[in-house]
Amino acid sequence: MAGHLAIRGEDWAKDGRPQTRPRGIIDGPNYPKSLEGPKYVGRRGLPSACQGVFMKDRVNVLCIGAGYVGGPTMAVIADRCPHVTVNVVDINAARIQAWQTDDLPIFEPGLLEVVKRARGRNLFFSTDIEAGIAAADIIFVSVNTPTKTFGEGAGRAADLQYWEKTARQILACSTNSKIVVEKSTLPVRTAEAMDRILNSNTRGLRFEVLSNPEFLAEGTAVKDLELPDRVLIGSHETPEGIRARKAVADIYATWVARERIIESSLWSAELSKLVANAFLAQRISSINAISALCELTEADVDEVAFAIGSDSRIGPRFLKASVGFGGSCFKKDILNLVYIAQSHGLDEVARYWEAVVRMNEWQETRFVRRMLAAMFNTVAGKKIAIFGFAFKAETGDTRESPALEVTKQLAAEHAHVVITDPKALDNARIDTAGLEGTIAFTPDPYEAARGAHAIAVLTEWNLYRDLDWARLLASMERPAFVFDGRNILDHHRLFDLGFNVFAIGKRPLRHV
Ligand code: NAD
Ligand code: UGA
């Protein structure tokens, strides 16, 4: 352990486990004074598997990609691991600049507090990707991996051109061996390509590629990161691979219980991420399929979901019928799974999973058709207020939001759409470019509803539950309609006030 400043050899048993850690702290001379002392008593010291992996006193982590995953994930690592220096880099200078202010580039409950605790201490944001790579021991790659829009696999396969460029950039800027961690969601066996590119060098550098997919959900990212159901780390099943994955596992073990850290093969880790999203989305499409049946049979989808979810084998979560699932990942990842299955000649498997996406698209269209049918088969010239544009509550993210599809379809029917949302109006404006003239925006739901024929609730923001619905009704055209695409409102109360109420998977409550 000569030259290893991180951990005193005598403190460590032969198996690499700590014997005693009186201050839970490391004692290399380069360790910043500000991090020493009782403040960190009880925290575990530098990762045990880092012994021999990094012959220095601090682990230097780099994250390439400062988005919804890179930003929060690295902020929590830095917050929980003062012994780790975390640099986050991105090609998007505006995004990096925003991470350096208190006006973060993404809205996520609790995130600003976490960032503020670590920023400038051991959490840094920069556009200097080359310097970041050169200094790093561990590189998390968290760039976006969109669906391919051209050529072979267009519309389904992952577009890996940026991924490959990142791998080449890591290679070009590296002067020492590193652990490279796939944080982005990728097709199974992507690590093989990354491994080949990185280890094609003739400079004697060795790169160990790991897969550590992220399972956080937007709106609850901080909670999900601080108390994850599990952390998954895959590696090659070689001594070097296993040692590298233990080094990364030890970083998480600073705050995550060991039994929640799952180690696996690279391929299992990569595939598990796609499959987790596919299973989650499948539950939503399953209950949404049943919602259509409920509307025709007078069964109530919330009652059905409760009844089936009470079976512990099924469980209650992710059974909320809705206008459809959105978000940047479910559709992308399922189509990716579909493409992989097709590439292996598994057409039945591909068709099975593709149906989850098709059902979702059908649900969005069905929602608009129901609006049309209820409103006397025309919405042309009618004002319709869209309550919520984010793909879910507690985020400003609108990627793949069902609200966009509903808006487009209503605009195509010549409705005058007014969109309101507490966090997502900037993104909504960008998403609806080209629809100017038929669309308006306001942060005030009362203004959105004034003179409207209908309100469609498309995001489950709590504030919509608590509005003065009598006041809203008083300002609207009659007959007034509410279409609850999230089943969050008190439908019978709204009906009693005078609204015609259409909820997902429920019998309509109508006066006309
Ligand atoms: P994002 O678009 O918010 O962020 C990606 C960032 O990477 C962007 O800021 C972009 O500028 C940057 N980037 C792209 N190419 C780069 C390069 N060559 N060098 C430096 N920076 C580069 O995406 P995201 O939502 O954070 O998702 C990232 C990955 O994580 C995706 O694979 C996604 O499927 C996966 N994921 C996302 C979530 C989520 O909730 N959003 C959850 C789990 C997993
Ligand atoms: C989802 C997964 O939950 C995360 O585990 C995963 O890491 C992430 O995708 C990813 O890979 O990007 P996210 O999309 O942020 O997270 O949010 P979810 O809570 O999963 O909601 C997705 C969509 O499904 C939203 O539009 C939500 O409103 C909808 N939904 C969710 C329903 O319609 N019904 C439900 O019961 C649950």
Side-chain angles (χ1 to χ4, degrees):
M1 249 343 99
H4 189 286
L5 300 175
I7 297 152
R8 278 210 193 123
E10 63 267 27
D11 285 346
W12 296 79
K14 286 215 172 71
D15 65 357
R17 297 269 157 207
Q19 299 275 287
T20 50
R21 304 301 304 156
R23 287 194 301 142
I25 201 103
I26 49 183
D27 42 8
N30 296 335
Y31 202 78
K33 288 272 177 280
S34 62
L35 298 181
E36 291 180 3
K39 197 170 160 201
Y40 295 102
V41 167
R43 293 204 183 202
R44 276 168 250 182
L46 194 73
S48 61
C50 294
Q51 274 193 303
V53 178
F54 309 116
M55 306 301 281
K56 56 205 283 195
D57 63 337
R58 287 183 73 80
V59 177
N60 196 320
V61 163
L62 175 75
C63 178
I64 304 180
Y68 284 88
V69 168
T73 309
M74 292 302 125
V76 170
I77 288 181
D79 185 33
R80 297 304 179 114
C81 307
H83 54 275
V84 175
T85 298
V86 180
N87 291 297
V88 187
V89 293
D90 202 294
I91 42 173
N92 184 333
R95 213 166 216 196
I96 288 297
Q97 207 274 329
W99 280 111
Q100 289 160 340
T101 70
D102 287 354
D103 190 14
L104 302 182
I106 60 171
F107 169 71
E108 196 60 64
L111 181 59
L112 181 60
E113 290 72 21
V114 175
V115 169
K116 279 167 93 168
R117 280 200 294 270
R119 197 170 51 195
R121 179 188 74 180
N122 62 331
L123 175 65
F124 306 94
F125 296 93
S126 164
T127 50
D128 193 345
I129 301 174
E130 294 182 3
I133 292 172
D137 302 306
I138 303 178
I139 301 178
F140 287 84
V141 186
S142 185
V143 303
N144 37 334
T145 49
T147 304
K148 218 174 156 191
T149 54
F150 57 89
E152 178 73 19
R156 288 163 297 152
D159 185 347
L160 295 177
Q161 58 173 314
Y162 307 107
W163 190 260
E164 183 168 335
K165 275 186 195 139
T166 305
R168 292 184 190 281
Q169 192 176 19
I170 292 173
L171 182 55
C173 301
S174 291
T175 50
N176 62 340
S177 299
K178 296 176 195 300
I179 295 174
V180 177
V181 187
E182 296 176 344
K183 194 51 150 166
S184 302
T185 304
L186 293 157
V188 56
R189 296 202 78 91
T190 301
E192 197 168 26
M194 188 137 208
D195 203 2
R196 282 208 194 138
I197 292 168
L198 290 171
N199 289 312
S200 66
N201 75 86
T202 51
R203 289 179 281 149
L205 302 180
R206 172 72 204 162
F207 295 88
E208 207 54 55
V209 180
L210 306 181
S211 166
N212 169 222
E214 185 48 60
F215 296 101
L216 68 80
E218 289 177 32
T220 53
V222 172
K223 186 173 88 36
D224 295 342
L225 288 164
E226 290 184 337
L227 207 63
D229 284 351
R230 80 311 208 177
V231 168
L232 176 60
I233 309 171
S235 75
H236 285 303
E237 301 285 1
T238 58
E240 296 77 21
I242 291 169
R243 209 149 62 103
R245 90 183 174 209
K246 291 207 177 300
V248 173
D250 278 357
I251 291 179
Y252 284 105
T254 311
W255 79 95
V256 179
R258 280 278 174 190
E259 58 274 19
R260 287 181 184 246
I261 302 176
I262 304 170
E263 296 181 31
S264 75
S265 80
L266 259 175
W267 321 129
S268 302
E270 286 181 332
L271 186 57
S272 296
K273 172 62 198 179
L274 293 179
V275 174
N277 274 358
F279 268 61
L280 289 169
Q282 180 203 44
R283 281 174 73 93
I284 303 169
S285 277
S286 296
I287 198 69
N288 281 347
I290 298 306
S291 76
L293 199 53
C294 287
E295 285 162 27
L296 297 173
T297 57
E298 299 199 358
D300 180 310
V301 75
D302 285 338
E303 291 180 354
V304 173
F306 183 75
I308 63 166
S310 300
D311 184 328
S312 59
R313 293 168 303 174
I314 296 175
R317 299 180 67 188
F318 264 70
L319 285 180
K320 187 75 185 160
S322 68
V323 57
F325 60 73
S328 61
C329 294
F330 278 176
K331 182 177 173 187
K332 160 178 85 70
D333 293 347
I334 293 172
L335 291 180
N336 195 205
L337 193 62
V338 166
Y339 180 71
I340 293 167
Q342 277 170 340
S343 318
H344 286 88
L346 299 173
D347 288 344
E348 288 302 323
V349 177
R351 270 198 293 277
Y352 176 78
W353 286 108
E354 194 167 15
V356 173
V357 174
R358 301 293 159 240
M359 178 57 62
N360 196 53
E361 291 167 351
W362 183 71
Q363 182 79 344
E364 291 170 351
T365 300
R366 200 173 74 76
F367 185 82
V368 177
R369 287 205 192 119
R370 202 165 176 232
M371 289 180 79
L372 273 175
M375 296 172 75
F376 320 111
N377 293 313
T378 178
V379 291
K382 292 179 182 169
K383 180 174 171 182
I384 297 179
I386 300 285
F387 277 22
F389 204 85
F391 82 95
K392 63 184 285 197
E394 302 301 334
T395 178
D397 194 352
T398 59
R399 291 178 289 181
E400 299 292 340
S401 177
L404 178 59
E405 192 53 37
V406 170
T407 300
K408 280 184 182 164
Q409 293 190 22
L410 290 173
E413 293 288 340
H414 294 185
H416 172 46
V417 180
V418 182
I419 297 167
T420 183
D421 189 288
K423 295 284 177 197
L425 283 191
D426 288 345
N427 282 332
R429 280 193 186 89
I430 296 167
D431 296 342
T432 54
L435 294 176
E436 295 87 354
T438 51
I439 294 193
F441 304 90
T442 173
D444 179 1
Y446 294 102
E447 193 184 319
R450 194 175 306 125
H453 291 255
I455 294 171
V457 177
L458 300 185
T459 310
E460 68 278 24
W461 288 107
N462 268 330
L463 75 96
Y464 298 142
R465 285 192 184 93
D466 303 330
L467 292 174
D468 181 346
W469 283 88
R471 182 180 155 198
L472 288 167
L473 179 66
S475 73
M476 291 174 67
E477 293 286 331
R478 302 298 177 95
F481 294 83
V482 170
F483 298 92
D484 187 355
R486 296 291 180 172
N487 285 357
I488 57 166
L489 304 176
D490 183 340
H491 303 133
H492 286 280
R493 194 174 75 81
L494 294 189
F495 178 67
D496 290 343
L497 285 174
F499 280 105
N500 296 285
V501 185
F502 291 75
I504 302 278
K506 291 174 193 272
R507 179 175 64 86
L509 302 174
R510 52 170 120 216
H511 300 284
V512 290

